[in-house]
Amino acid sequence: MGNESLPMKTTDMAALVSNGCVDVRGRIADKRKTGGWKASPFIIMNEVAERLAFYAIAVNLVTYLIVEMHQPLADAATHVTDWVGAAFVLTLLGAFLADSYLGRFKTILIFSCIYAGMVLLTLSASIDSLRPPPCTSIPCIPVPATARQEWFLYSALGLIALGTGGIKPCVSSFGADQFDEADEGEAQNKYSFFNWFFFAINMGALLGITAMVYLQVKKGWVWGFAVPSAAMFTSVRPMGSAFTRFAQVLAASIRNHSRGVRARERELYEVETPESDIPGARKLFHTQQYEFLDKAAAAVDPKDIGNRWRLCTVTQVEELKSFIRVLPIWASTIALAISFAQLSTFFVRQAAMMDRKLGGFEIPASSVPVFASINGLLLVPVYEGVIVPLLRKKTGHRRGITSLQRMGVGLFVSIFAMVAAAVVEKRRRESAGPMSVFWLLPQYFLIGSAEVFTYVGQLEFFYDEATDGTRSLSSAMFLSEVGIGSWLSTALVKIIEGTTGGEGKGWLQSTINKGRIDYLYWVLCGINGVNFLVYLFVAVNYKGRSEGSSSVVAEDGVVGVVEEGEKLG
């Protein structure tokens, strides 16, 4: 402690991270003592536990709503996708709190406690008065759940969604922050972290949809929900609200535009300190895109300095530009999430109608999505250990292919995942006897492969294109795609149900042999195909935040690394 006031040696300065990250005491982190692969395993294990808990519920929930809460298939499916959608859209709230007030580490801790909603879900499964009575008549005439029973269940699910929303946007960014991107070796390790982080997601999913589902089948719903609850309960400083800074840039731009200010004729304002005036954030280079926003940094009146609603810094303007720049990529990758929503709804109902025997063991229908998780567990090590080195030799790119190319591969594969699902479902309906559940392997393999490529590509892309002050927000953006995709799946199901005749007549019936789920899969195939073409157009025309950079507005002493802008090819 007594040496803290002494001048720091040059070698000590070199050991400090360049990205502004601090340790638990608020000091600039020393990469010799903290971060990197020293901290990442703990972050990865946290993700395993959280995903185990979430997926154990997600794959079981549609069956629980149908069997225990007596809901029709279409209603149960939409309630599941609504819940998943809320969980992932709430990541925007988690990102806001992390960036503005709490920091990522505290946000993870606090929202892990909110995940206690799993205890309420366990109570819903264990207390008879919290569920409608079972059928006693033949044929079964189910008694619908009361408003009180549904309120209790939805309150539990709401807390779980809130907990997920707080944790998810912070964990991947918090893990990537452990690697100093100015260090070539650590920068390469950062991209390896993204692959192993996705591996952890699949490991948690694997445990959730195998061991936990099997426990539910053998021991009942109480054990099926209680054990994931127990598993769930086994540093970056806040940088202020990015949304507030965005609003300031827009207000200052509009104000100066109304006064006839031309940014090109004015000197653009930046603080003279080595770092920007956003706590913990480095200065950014000025770019030529979205020049209207440059008016926010056009120095007109010296009295405006210090009032960010009148005069913003170049860094603040570039922060908003970076956010706007990725929006088309964000919007053109949502369709995959619509298809992925079927994993925990209609794919499960398909499996329930098939022969699931494996020797003397019967695979629970809710565990069949394990095929996609196993694919992820196998593909990540192969991709990281074999494919990336081969691609690196051929392309010269340190990741083998760019993030945009990786996402494009995933979106292309998703088209064929829905083709496989439609073909297999048509064959299942027309089969004289029960088909083996292993006929579902192609669609699970393809949707799992699509997720490996697109999801990890998104992790890389949104982290790289984010600024220091918007890392959590950027992670929340791509996670919110899953939520919006789930809600769009709900809307699609409702539209199809309404236009094809509804329960008992349409494509989507509780007795799926009477419906035409294969038609739904063909619709999704068409949506994915159109989306892929849109993505190609957007990605080809995308310019990374370092492309088109002009002069460095920052003063001498700025710490920063300029990387090649992200491109499709």
Side-chain angles (χ1 to χ4, degrees), residues 161-360:
L162 184 60
T164 296
I167 295 170
K168 289 296 291 179
C170 301
V171 177
S172 60
S173 295
F174 187 57
D177 285 340
Q178 307 304 310
F179 301 94
D180 185 9
E181 59 193 30
D183 183 305
E184 182 62 30
E186 290 207 9
Q188 185 62 47
N189 287 336
K190 178 182 72 175
Y191 296 110
S192 294
F193 167 79
F194 285 132
N195 282 314
W196 290 114
F197 182 79
F198 183 75
F199 182 90
I201 291 173
N202 281 279
M203 179 59 73
L206 174 68
L207 295 173
I209 61 185
T210 54
M212 295 302 103
V213 171
Y214 182 75
L215 189 66
Q216 176 267 309
V217 171
K218 293 299 182 181
K219 297 291 186 179
W221 292 104
V222 177
W223 282 94
F225 290 146
V227 173
S229 301
M232 185 55 219
F233 295 111
T234 41
S235 282
V236 176
R237 56 185 166 180
M239 297 182 176
S241 170
F243 292 113
T244 300
R245 295 194 296 271
F246 293 167
Q248 290 171 338
V249 172
L250 292 173
S253 298
I254 294 171
R255 178 176 180 271
N256 283 341
H257 177 75
S258 66
R259 297 167 66 183
V261 173
R262 295 181 181 272
R264 290 185 177 181
E265 299 175 359
R266 298 279 180 175
E267 180 180 352
L268 300 183
Y269 173 71
E270 182 59 272
V271 294
E272 297 182 358
T273 53
E275 286 194 347
S276 73
D277 64 347
I278 302 171
R282 294 163 290 182
K283 290 181 179 178
L284 300 175
F285 295 91
H286 174 251
T287 61
Q288 300 295 339
Q289 288 178 291
Y290 313 119
E291 292 183 355
F292 174 82
L293 298 175
D294 288 338
K295 296 181 180 184
V300 178
D301 188 343
K303 295 180 181 179
D304 292 340
I305 296 176
N307 185 343
R308 292 291 172 262
W309 291 98
R310 292 175 175 269
L311 180 63
C312 301
T313 64
V314 168
T315 294
Q316 190 175 345
V317 172
E318 291 302 320
E319 188 178 56
L320 177 56
K321 286 184 181 181
S322 294
F323 179 78
I324 294 173
R325 198 173 286 124
V326 302
L327 288 178
I329 297 292
W330 171 83
S332 61
T333 51
I334 289 177
L336 176 60
I338 304 177
S339 297
F340 199 72
Q342 313 316 314
L343 272 174
S344 55
T345 54
F346 293 108
F347 279 21
V348 172
R349 297 311 297 166
Q350 262 185 294
M353 303 301 294
M354 303 178 79
D355 180 8
R356 304 188 304 279
K357 289 185 174 62
L358 181 61

